[in-house]
Amino acid sequence: MSEPTQPASAAIETVVVDGLGLAKSIRAELAREVAALVEAGRRAPCLAVVLVGDDPASRSYIKGKQRACARIGMESVEHLLPEDTPEPALLELVAKLNADDGVDGILVQLPLPAHISPAAVAEAVDPAKDADALHPSTSGKLLAGTADLISCTPLGVMAILDHHQVPLEGAQAVVIGRSNIVGKPVSLLLQQRNATVTMCHSRTRNLPEICRQADVLVAAVGRPRMVKGDWIKPGAAVMDVGVSEVDGKLVGDVDFEAAQGVASLITPSRRGIGPMTITMLLRNTLHAYRARTNA
Ligand code: GUN
């Protein structure tokens, strides 16, 4: 007698997020808003970007940010400082940008050289110009649910989930990584939307098991392909924030190939969350401009 055959489980078709496409449509709206301001006789919003040292990846990121500003009619100014810039000199530049009425948003590119404290720099930025949302008062407001400016990557993740109508109410969300810039804020945003959030990190026990419970899995640790296919709950939405270079190829924290046919939605390493992060930086800068100038 032959064994009864298991009914084949319905194959899951994994949707790969078009982060660039979504970013472009949001940027088109931001461009219309900037054009309306300029037509009304106001100046365009302006983002100041500061880079210390010349890490090629950081240079490329800030070029991308400036290009994105230009494309929507926003101004940007760039300050490139040498790697050995003393912390007080950087703080002095930030103070100057704070005092400059023509600057609406300030971003100091991370990572910073080891001799500079990222916390001191975050605290030096005027919260009214905190486009990167790293000032403690900005993160405190996020905790209280009253934030106007929110970290760009978490905002991008939420916009992608909403665009794809991923249900968050009562969903199990797992966030891997507890950074100030991604893990902590994204967990708060998911919680605000009534997801049940578990935060995991390098010391978490049974990580694969916890990930397998996730309806929404956010990976933000920067460890290439750490999340395996069998860590993913069938049908989960997977937001892969990590970007690492392995053998000249960009890879995420999630094994992208292994997630195919398991996840219902996944962000790719290129044209995934990256363009959305930049878009949310533009959004924050415009937001800061409006708040500062009553526009
Ligand atoms: N480096 C990589 N991503 C970011 C970001 O969103 N903000 C800053 N300041 N630095 C980064």
Side-chain angles (χ1 to χ4, degrees):
M1 214 170 85
S2 61
E3 290 284 311
T5 48
Q6 291 281 341
S9 55
I12 292 174
E13 202 172 313
T14 305
V15 172
V16 177
V17 171
D18 177 11
L20 183 61
L22 180 56
K24 279 184 176 167
S25 69
I26 300 171
R27 286 182 206 176
E29 177 51 37
L30 294 174
R32 281 192 285 276
E33 287 190 48
V34 172
L37 290 165
V38 173
E39 272 160 32
R42 295 174 176 271
R43 66 171 175 83
C46 175
L47 173 70
V49 180
V50 181
L51 174 64
V52 185
D54 47 26
D55 172 58
S58 290
R59 258 184 184 275
S60 151
Y61 288 149
I62 68 164
K63 283 280 161 257
K65 286 164 187 171
Q66 288 183 298
R67 216 170 18 226
C69 283
R71 286 198 179 134
I72 68 156
M74 245 184 213
E75 299 289 331
S76 66
V77 287
E78 178 188 75
H79 293 268
L80 301 177
L81 306 181
E83 178 86 19
D84 60 358
T85 301
E87 184 179 293
L90 174 59
L91 298 182
E92 205 173 299
L93 170 62
V94 171
K96 262 194 205 147
L97 296 170
N98 286 342
D100 184 340
D101 229 12
V103 168
D104 303 290
I106 300 170
L107 177 137
V108 181
Q109 184 68 25
L110 300 173
L112 286 161
H115 66 278
I116 298 179
S117 152
V121 174
E123 284 188 40
V125 172
D126 179 349
K129 300 187 177 188
D130 191 16
D132 222 10
L134 287 173
H135 191 283
S137 87
T138 315
S139 22
K141 282 186 178 176
L142 178 62
L143 201 65
T146 58
D148 299 319
L149 299 170
I150 296 169
S151 304
C152 306
T153 299
L155 273 182
V157 167
M158 299 307 288
I160 290 171
L161 292 171
D162 284 341
H163 178 75
H164 289 276
Q165 300 179 341
V166 174
L168 298 177
E169 178 94 18
Q172 294 285 346
V174 171
V175 177
I176 318 173
R178 52 181 160 177
S179 65
N180 289 343
I181 200 161
V182 183
K184 288 179 197 167
V186 84
S187 68
L188 289 169
L189 294 176
L190 287 163
Q191 215 178 109
Q192 279 171 17
R193 297 286 299 279
N194 300 321
T196 302
V197 184
T198 304
M199 284 193 78
C200 302
H201 45 76
S202 52
R203 314 281 166 86
T204 298
R205 294 191 195 130
N206 305 327
L207 184 58
E209 206 174 292
I210 295 171
C211 290
R212 271 194 289 274
Q213 321 254 320
D215 302 306
V216 176
L217 180 60
V218 181
V221 270
R223 289 179 59 186
R225 298 190 183 112
M226 185 185 81
V227 176
K228 309 299 177 205
D230 64 358
W231 295 24
I232 300 170
K233 178 177 175 177
V238 179
M239 301 288 107
D240 188 357
V241 176
V243 182
S244 311
E245 205 177 308
V246 176
D247 302 329
K249 197 175 163 237
L250 287 186
V251 298
D253 288 347
V254 179
D255 185 336
F256 183 80
E257 278 73 33
Q260 301 301 311
V262 185
S264 62
L265 185 71
I266 188 166
T267 56
S269 301
R270 294 176 68 87
R271 305 180 165 197
I273 289 173
M276 288 298 288
T277 296
I278 296 183
T279 302
M280 295 303 154
L281 176 66
L282 303 175
R283 193 208 90 140
N284 276 351
T285 305
L286 178 57
H287 211 78
Y289 168 97
R290 287 195 187 281
R292 292 183 59 251
T293 64
N294 295 316

